[in-house]
Amino acid sequence: MAKKLVIKVTAGADAPERCSQAFTVAAVGAASGAEVSLWLTGESAWFALPGRAAEFELPHAAPLPDLIEGIRAGGGRITLCTQCAVRRGIEEGDVLDGVRIAGAQTFVSEALADDTQALVY
């Protein structure tokens, strides 16, 4: 049984190192065989939209689009926080293919599941 890793990223371009670290840990976790669930909240919510990750730059860090592809390739799930989406006017039809919108109840359920490690960035 694969270990589960739930990562909540609250930072976006406002805190680029913290943001990049969360995406990097998620991608490495997925590549390592962990069952990864990456939650986009706060300013990271914008990365659920097509093209927005490509706008993000951080020297000496992997590009966010590559990290997102790595998460997906490893079977990881990306979720956009319901409230964060609403506050930004983001709807289901706006997000990248495969990104779901879900709320706190789903996050808590995932984070409290057996064999799960939860991280917040």
Side-chain angles (χ1 to χ4, degrees):
M1 175 186 280
K3 293 278 188 176
K4 298 174 186 166
L5 183 59
V6 179
I7 300 166
K8 179 185 261 192
V9 56
T10 62
D14 59 325
E17 288 182 308
R18 196 161 30 111
C19 175
S20 178
Q21 187 175 33
F23 279 86
T24 300
V25 168
V28 170
S32 299
E35 185 181 317
V36 172
S37 178
L38 178 66
W39 282 73
L40 306 177
T41 68
E43 286 303 298
S44 71
W46 295 113
F47 299 126
L49 297 174
R52 291 309 269 284
E55 297 172 3
F56 180 86
E57 292 184 15
L58 181 63
H60 311 291
L64 283 192
D66 294 351
L67 295 172
I68 290 170
E69 183 54 37
I71 294 164
R72 290 175 165 177
R77 175 186 306 140
I78 300 174
T79 304
L80 172 59
C81 162
T82 302
Q83 290 182 18
C84 300
V86 170
R87 280 192 282 274
R88 289 160 180 80
I90 301 171
E91 299 179 1
E92 278 195 46
D94 300 331
V95 300
L96 294 166
D97 288 339
V99 172
R100 70 175 175 166
I101 298 177
Q105 181 178 0
T106 303
F107 175 80
V108 170
S109 176
E110 287 184 11
L112 294 179
D114 290 338
D115 292 321
T116 299
Q117 177 69 46
L119 305 170
V120 177
Y121 288 88

